[in-house]
Amino acid sequence: FTRLKLAAVFMTLCGIGVFALLVYSIGFQEIYEGIVRFGVAGFAVILTIYFFRICARAYAWKLSVHEPYSLRMRDTVPGVVIGEAMSSTLPLGIIISGTSKAVAVRKKIPLVAGLSSVATENLFYSLITGIHLILGAFVMLRVSAVDEGVVWTLNAMIVTLLILIFLGILMVIRQWHMASELCEIVYRRGYLKKILENGRLHVRLFENLIYGFYRQHPGRFIPICLLEGVYHALGVTEVFYILSRLNNDNASLLTAFLLESVSPLVTIVFKAIPFNIGVDEAGAQYVGNAVALAAGVGVTLAIIRKGRILFWTAAGWALIAKRGL
């Protein structure tokens, strides 16, 4: 655990260094003028767009709750905001963001049921995000000039994601109880016996709830997938809107799609860095250069979106403080 913390601190410092270098190379004044040009009204629009993104995932989570339990949007929307705040702020926060969602609704449904519903929604989210990344990589390979090393990386990513998606679907269809089987093996060998005495049964129940959902509610598959797709489509809309205010000449839905396709990949790979500081800007700048955006637009775009993240993170921590979580 100490090594993880040290690695997170080191990567965060590196991210801050990359951020400072990008701002210095582009020029603070140019970035500042872009942010001023975007304006308060523009910022209010992207805050609204992101609220609709939150609602899309919140409704997908609502549909993922296993009967006889249920949640309302007034339960899931704050839970998603809290989960996003934890995920953005804490190093490796993506690991505990799902747990924090389940804890946020613990007074409405049992914790195990909450965790299984979050895991179910995350599986759908991961599936659609994987497809989104594959499409983004495929389009980038064909519409922009990238280095040969990047071509190999993108092709490897496409193949890896296709394999992971296939294995994930197979895992659900075949109902592989890998987590509970692993707990059983550890328990039989005499390790963590006190924790796993009842813990392995809870893990088994957790898996059964997830697989039970897939058997009992096949009619919810398409609506949940569509909601996860809407989440990503609104992300593209947000990027397109920002570009249209920063750079009217080169703003296009294709450019917005490519820029947005980088965002989840950066989030996954560099989640140890709070707020993805530095790496978001570097990724946006790289894609901006590949699609011939004006210098600095990619970094300015990432900084504006960082402001949106800070706003909703503050809202999440306010909810955490209010609820005493």
Side-chain angles (χ1 to χ4, degrees):
F1 187 69
T2 302
R3 290 180 179 178
L4 278 176
K5 289 195 291 185
L6 290 174
V9 170
F10 175 74
M11 292 180 69
T12 301
L13 292 175
C14 289
I16 293 171
V18 170
F19 178 80
L21 181 62
L22 286 169
V23 172
Y24 175 78
S25 61
I26 293 166
F28 175 80
Q29 188 63 30
E30 182 177 342
I31 295 173
Y32 174 76
E33 288 174 358
I35 294 173
V36 171
R37 187 163 62 251
F38 185 71
V40 175
F43 191 66
V45 170
I46 66 170
L47 289 180
T48 304
I49 291 173
Y50 195 74
F51 176 71
F52 287 125
R53 297 185 76 188
I54 289 171
C55 289
R57 287 207 68 180
Y59 200 79
W61 178 17
K62 177 180 179 295
L63 292 179
S64 301
V65 178
H66 196 290
E67 294 179 349
Y69 309 109
S70 64
L71 291 172
R72 296 172 294 178
M73 287 290 284
R74 62 188 294 181
D75 304 317
T76 57
V77 169
V80 171
V81 175
I82 288 171
E84 291 295 308
M86 299 287 279
S87 178
S88 298
T89 310
L90 302 178
L92 301 174
I94 195 170
I95 297 173
I96 60 170
S97 62
T99 305
S100 65
K101 290 180 185 179
V103 172
V105 297
R106 69 194 186 282
K107 295 181 180 179
K108 304 294 182 180
I109 60 176
L111 186 59
V112 172
L115 286 170
S116 68
S117 66
V118 171
T120 300
E121 190 272 329
N122 279 339
L123 285 172
F124 282 105
Y125 173 76
S126 298
L127 171 63
I128 302 304
T129 300
I131 295 172
H132 178 70
L133 288 172
I134 290 170
L135 289 174
F138 183 81
V139 171
M140 179 169 283
L141 286 171
R142 278 144 187 82
V143 304
S144 59
V146 293
D147 299 333
E148 185 176 348
V150 176
V151 171
W152 280 100
T153 301
L154 291 177
N155 282 324
M157 185 186 77
I158 291 173
V159 172
T160 301
L161 287 173
L162 286 172
I163 292 172
L164 289 175
I165 289 172
F166 172 76
L167 289 176
I169 294 173
L170 189 62
M171 178 186 72
V172 173
I173 293 175
R174 301 295 297 272
Q175 298 187 26
W176 292 341
H177 291 76
M178 292 184 292
S180 58
E181 289 296 334
L182 178 61
C183 290
E184 194 68 39
I185 291 171
V186 173
Y187 178 77
R188 287 174 183 173
R189 294 192 175 183
Y191 300 108
L192 304 175
K193 294 204 72 163
K194 190 173 182 180
I195 296 174
L196 294 178
E197 179 68 36
N198 294 317
R200 70 191 197 283
L201 303 178
H202 288 300
V203 173
R204 186 77 175 191
L205 175 61
F206 171 78
E207 290 176 321
N208 287 338
L209 285 172
I210 294 175
Y211 294 139
F213 176 86
Y214 290 98
R215 291 194 307 270
Q216 297 176 24
H217 303 288
R220 297 186 189 180
F221 287 17
I222 292 178
I224 294 175
C225 287
L226 288 175
L227 286 165
E228 304 294 2
V230 166
Y231 176 84
H232 289 296
L234 287 171
V236 175
T237 303
E238 178 187 80
V239 174
F240 177 74
Y241 176 75
I242 296 172
L243 288 178
S244 67
R245 292 183 69 93
L246 293 179
N247 189 358
N248 291 319
D249 296 333
N250 291 334
S252 69
L253 284 174
L254 179 60
T255 301
F257 172 74
L258 289 174
L259 284 162
E260 174 59 17
S261 66
V262 172
S263 181
L265 179 61
V266 169
T267 300
I268 294 168
V269 176
F270 296 101
K271 201 53 199 173
I273 302 176
F275 299 105
N276 288 332
I277 187 168
V279 291
D280 261 342
E281 291 75 14
Q285 183 67 6
Y286 177 82
V287 177
N289 291 337
V291 296
L293 281 179
V297 170
V299 174
T300 306
L301 164 76
I303 291 174
I304 290 171
R305 298 186 87 188
K306 197 82 74 192
R308 180 261 292 161
I309 293 171
L310 287 169
F311 176 89
W312 283 108
T313 298
W317 281 103
L319 286 172
I320 291 171
K322 181 180 178 181
R323 296 182 178 206
L325 297 180

